[in-house]
Amino acid sequence: MLKLTNISKRWEGFTLKDITLTVGKGDYFILLGPSGAGKSVLLEVIAGLIAPDGGDITLNDANITHLKIQERDIGLVFQDLALFPHLNVHHNIGYPLYRKGYKSREVNRRVVELAQELGISHLLKRFPPTLSGGEQQRVALARTLALNPSLLLLDEPLSSLDVERKVEIRRLLRDLNRKGQTIVHVTHDYEEAIALGNRIAIINNGAIEQIGSPQEVFGKPTSSFVAGFGGVRNFFKISISKSEDSKFMKARVNENLSFYLQSDDEGNGYAMIPENEIVITHDKPGTETLNTFPGTVIDIYPHRFGCEVVVDIGEKIFAIMASTQLQAIHASIGSKVWVSFQENSTIFIKSS
Amino acid sequence: MLKLTNISKRWEGFTLKDITLTVGKGDYFILLGPSGAGKSVLLEVIAGLIAPDGGDITLNDANITHLKIQERDIGLVFQDLALFPHLNVHHNIGYPLYRKGYKSREVNRRVVELAQELGISHLLKRFPPTLSGGEQQRVALARTLALNPSLLLLDEPLSSLDVERKVEIRRLLRDLNRKGQTIVHVTHDYEEAIALGNRIAIINNGAIEQIGSPQEVFGKPTSSFVAGFGGVRNFFKISISKSEDSKFMKARVNENLSFYLQSDDEGNGYAMIPENEIVITHDKPGTETLNTFPGTVIDIYPHRFGCEVVVDIGEKIFAIMASTQLQAIHASIGSKVWVSFQENSTIFIKSS
Amino acid sequence: MKKSAINLSFAFLGGLVLLFIVAPLLGMVFSTPLSTLFSTAQETEVQQSIWLTIWISMASTLVFSILAIPLAYLLARYSFPLKNMVLGIIDLPIVIPHSAAGIALLGFISRDTVIGKAAGAFGFNLIGSPVAIALAMAFVSIPFLINAAREGFASVPVRLEKAALNLGASPARVFFTISLPLAWRSIVTGLVMMFARGMSEFGAVVIVAYHPMVAPVLIFDRFNAFGLKYARPAALLFILVSLVVFITIRLLAVKRKKDA
Amino acid sequence: MKKSAINLSFAFLGGLVLLFIVAPLLGMVFSTPLSTLFSTAQETEVQQSIWLTIWISMASTLVFSILAIPLAYLLARYSFPLKNMVLGIIDLPIVIPHSAAGIALLGFISRDTVIGKAAGAFGFNLIGSPVAIALAMAFVSIPFLINAAREGFASVPVRLEKAALNLGASPARVFFTISLPLAWRSIVTGLVMMFARGMSEFGAVVIVAYHPMVAPVLIFDRFNAFGLKYARPAALLFILVSLVVFITIRLLAVKRKKDA
Amino acid sequence: HSNQQTNTITIFHAGSLAMPIKAIADSFKVLHPDVTFRLEAAGSVECARKITEFNRQCDIMASADYKIIDELLIPDYADWNVLFSGNEMSLVHTKQSRHANDINGDNWYEILAKPEVSYGRSDPNADPCGYRTLLTLQLAEQHYQKPGLAKAIAEKDNRFIRPKEVDLIALLESGAIDYIFLYRSVAVQHGLEYVTLPDEINLGNPSLSDLYSGVHLRIRGAAVGDSLTLYGEPMVYGITIPSNASNREMAMEYLKLFLHPHKGLKTIEQMGMIPLNPLIIHNEDGMDKDLREELTGHP
Ligand SMILES: Nc1ncnc2c1ncn2[C@@H]1O[C@H](COP(=O)(O)OP(=O)(O)OP(=O)(O)O)[C@@H](O)[C@H]1O
Ligand SMILES: Nc1ncnc2c1ncn2[C@@H]1O[C@H](COP(=O)(O)OP(=O)(O)OP(=O)(O)O)[C@@H](O)[C@H]1O
Ligand SMILES: [Mg+2]
Ligand SMILES: [Mg+2]
């Protein structure tokens, strides 16, 4: 459906580098990346608001690289919304409908319908500048949905919404996608990404780092950056080799830190250690695992499942533990503690 | 430190109703509420941008209800940022510093320091309109931090940031708070709320619904709305009474739905059933619990821990289960299934 | 904010300007007996010339706005080589001596020119016609509209126009539904300034058309023939009518925007 | 977007306006031999009067801008009863017959008035002085600055001003660091229009000061005494110098903004 | 400041006198190098109104019609009036004017009547040149014995009536019209072509004043609605020193030069005007003795 080939755009201080990707018909394509990665720029290039310096954009087999904005049939929900301040909510939402030869009653019906779905029916007569952040965001979404484009680009469309609204609108988007709407969606929210996307691209520093299904991307992250997005905080680039003193392989992180893991492979790759597999104790634990390290607590903060503790053992290690447990070992920032984890709790991904 | 007494503001379509609350010195006060609840309006009333129709605002024992904006010593990070488009990032951040009699070298030092802390050092020469959403958000935050006000108001300051940045800046804010900075922070993010706040207020529809510590508020939510914020999806208003046929109490949700739970109390209140305590089976389960209901799957979507399944048993019930499990019982949207949960997995909160 | 020191000093400075504008007007008012004003108001010659001035200037403003507003839009949106030169040229009619402007226009519309001949073919002589007056008014006043509209369009975010295009609107629709309404306030101000400047023109108008007499010509004529005593009430009447017209235009324009 | 149908038709319409402005100018250029232009440029009388016109108008614009810009800000920010009336009054000097304006001002500054006497006490006769010229120029041209600046301020979001206040800036600092720079483009356009309009004033100036001769009076005088042939090169020279000045002002103003 | 004032001579003069007044001022400066002139050209009536209505001071006022001084300035603003020169009506044109090669003092009215020819004239209500044009046309009707000539020509080309002669010159020079009725002196000064009209109709010969007074017309009077009957008479320029002149002495020196038969009046003659010899002085008694002696030769 949508195909980008070697799209590039250069500014002083930022370059979009040879972006090549394909979005299939009916895909729910999630674009994940840190702030300043180039996500919004990429969407605006696709929509035609920014002209790329090089590369080609194909939509439904037609080259649209130089097509005018209004002829692309691509809807974009802007990150900064770009609502029309002089039109009330009704006319904002109805804006894309008038030109389609809709009758005014038809337009009315559709606007009311969309407003209902997005929970903004009571705002139809109001003007955008007086709306709350989340209300504005829903108006912007409704307006682009009214366009009913062949490709829908969403730039963080739910960032200002509360949890309930988020869930509702996610459902709306999922339904839309199920009915065949192709969507490219930028988000920072991991849950949103896996709840909605069937394909995920990771973009960092103007370049695509990884593309695949959610399982592929988060199951086998190829950088600590991707791992961090997936919520995996303990992610290391390692090289492993047979160890002489153990049946496990030795994983070398850097000069100061090595640990053991279970693997049949050798060579370079990445290791992930789930946060809840890390055990923190006050005294050195028994020798049931080779992976025991002394360290210093450098941060503690509340977490959904208790507390998150950060320990410096040469690299930062993140652990989740119950608050009661933490109190039991008298750990606070600056405490000396022991960190341990099982050799087989570590996941190894070989570099390709 | 900050005391609001009966603050009210009326517009057609929205009313802020008699807001009374106290923020203590050194508090990290979280304001949670759905879109359109009045959070931003409340912050702008405190900062003096909107004049309330009635009520009093006291800051450090001085009545500031009618004080000029610039004399309040209250910093506000706007939800829409309000960066100065004609000043570069450096001058935006330095803006509050010049008037304080700082030397220009001093200002420079502080700006560079803040930019470093927020990861925007490379943007100092740039102008806001060319920045990405998250970059702009960090500039706005830096600018208000530079003011070093006695009270800091943050209106969804992290909504456009990626996970890593969020964690970093949360740490920054926590540190600031630990050093004594009083903060009022509006957010939609449950994790952010419990990771940062020591006191939480829930605002809905222009009125405060609940104020307390995170434990109080999320442990004993007094409305499904608050519960929803805490991530508890199965939350019901019930009245319970002794049941004749069981040692458990009978909880009546409505005419069609009642269930059993363990409680010593009677009367009206709320019940919460954790999502992971809900079991979904294809056939009617054995009789080890009284709470078994037939239902229809109305929605399924991916979730961090597998799938979230929504079943209609007269009320919507939300369950989390592994994808493999779901496949095992051949459930899809429209399937007839059985829902069950233990009587003692239900939490009852009596109405006060 | 209302009572801050700077606002007080601004109010003081602003008051001085208002005084500077109002005092000469009051001088005129006080030296004109009400009875003279009334009797002047009843002279058909005076009525006709004021009416003529208003409608020709209004027609000229409206007709030329159809040309000037698009130009203003292009100037606000695009940059091109020598743009500053074009902007400078647009300012020139303000500075050209008025009679020079009138003479230059004569070269346009007199019998021997294409335009003059074309009009002549229809038995219509441009010189001394309302059309000639309108052209003279437009020439000296059009920069004010172009400049105001250009600034108005420049303050409309391009991003909103792009958003409208993204929503499938044609550039024409974007112009009429987004750019124009958002620049509307400035355009109205530009129209008022052009309209007012056109009404006041004497030097250029008198060269292309002494008759029919627009108000400034009539006032000059009265001054010349009868002196200040007779010129003043006519001038004052003209000014008062203009005031009413301006207030009405602004009220209507703002109302129209609210309705839209 | 560049080549859309509407842009093409806009370019066509805009081209007509430019033609309408440029053609009379070209007419002047072509009927003036280069040699005459050069010799006129060397006459000290001509040089002096052009120089005088520019500096008096510039001084008058700058001095009055100190009063007019604050007024424009207040008008953009606050509403009060009869505001539309005040706006209408501000437009009036545009429409007042120029000689009426001159006569009214004369009543202000002639020897018998308070102002005239005060000046006289310092051995200074206002009539025929640069001050009188400046006042006449300011009177007919100040509405253009006020209107442009008002629109400029109106398009600055109040929210940004409030944000600056929230950051602890005083209202004065907010005005100078936020409102003024953001309205700067419109203000420059207003200043250029006021400056240009002042330079071109003849009717009001000639009443309060025939001497020292500003350029429009000089051109009139030449026309009167020697005819078009002698007036035209002076007028053309004045126009060309003005063009250079306008382009320079715009370049400087834009540059200054970029530097800020 | 008094020093500056005594060395400045301010002259309000009719536009058509600009050239001779300037030329004579230049010769005056040779004799009095420290004197500066402030010459203000305007319509003759305007010049008078600057004095009467604006309370402006000037040292000399020169009018294209002596009657303006008699009627508007004397006695309140001036005491006397020197009639110093005549002029004559002529039909002015350029080389490009239609039929410029054929026109002469006998066929001009036929050419003006041609439909392809346009001509302009001043507004009789606003400018003396305007009513003089109409009087000339009436005289021509008598002279050529063509009944209806005056009316026919006067009603033709009404669009090209202008309030001042300079506006007409602009019309002529820009080619909008072919001919204008104008004082001969202006044509000479502006380097324009002109047709000399017979003395019987050009209002320029003082000895034909009886003939001239045979025609008359009505123009509007001193107040709105009033009217005034004007009779033909030779056109004569007047000059005076207003009573409130601040530099009377130097003004008199200038007038002595200006009215000197071999100096100023010679220049005036070269510029196409017809100096009166002798000068005619209205209210001679009110005149400063010194000047009267110089002009009339007797005290
Ligand atoms: N017009 C421009 N000129 C220069 N740099 C720009 C321009 N527009 C964007 N950039 C830079 O390009 C980079 C990518 O911007 P973009 O808006 O795509 O980020 P993003 O991935 O959307 O980030 P966020 O999640 O913060 O919105 C940023 O560093 C930004 O500063
Ligand atoms: N100037 C105004 N006039 C009328 N209604 C207003 C005005 N400003 C805000 N409101 C309304 O007040 C309500 C509360 O707005 P507010 O911006 O405080 O919401 P919020 O809690 O911040 O929501 P969000 O999370 O979406 O930003 C909204 O319904 C909004 O439409
Ligand atoms: Mg972005
Ligand atoms: Mg908000």
Side-chain angles (χ1 to χ4, degrees), chain B residues 135-151:
Chain B
E135 288 164 353
Q136 291 187 15
Q137 205 160 40
R138 282 173 280 159
V139 174
L141 193 56
R143 187 178 66 172
T144 306
L145 291 181
L147 179 63
N148 202 10
S150 77
L151 174 63

Side-chain angles (χ1 to χ4, degrees), chain D residues 70-146:
Chain D
L71 179 64
Y73 182 73
L74 295 183
L75 290 172
R77 279 291 170 266
Y78 302 107
S79 44
F80 45 84
L82 293 185
K83 179 169 171 181
N84 271 304
M85 175 93 173
V86 170
L87 293 181
I89 289 177
I90 287 171
D91 288 331
L92 279 188
I94 306 179
V95 89
I96 292 179
H98 309 161
S99 32
I103 294 167
L105 273 178
L106 198 66
F108 249 172
I109 56 173
S110 68
R111 285 164 308 173
D112 313 330
T113 64
V114 182
I115 298 173
K117 276 187 191 137
F122 291 98
F124 192 65
N125 191 335
L126 284 177
I127 294 182
S129 73
V131 173
I133 300 177
L135 287 177
M137 286 177 169
F139 187 80
V140 298
S141 63
I142 204 162
F144 298 111
L145 173 58
I146 297 178

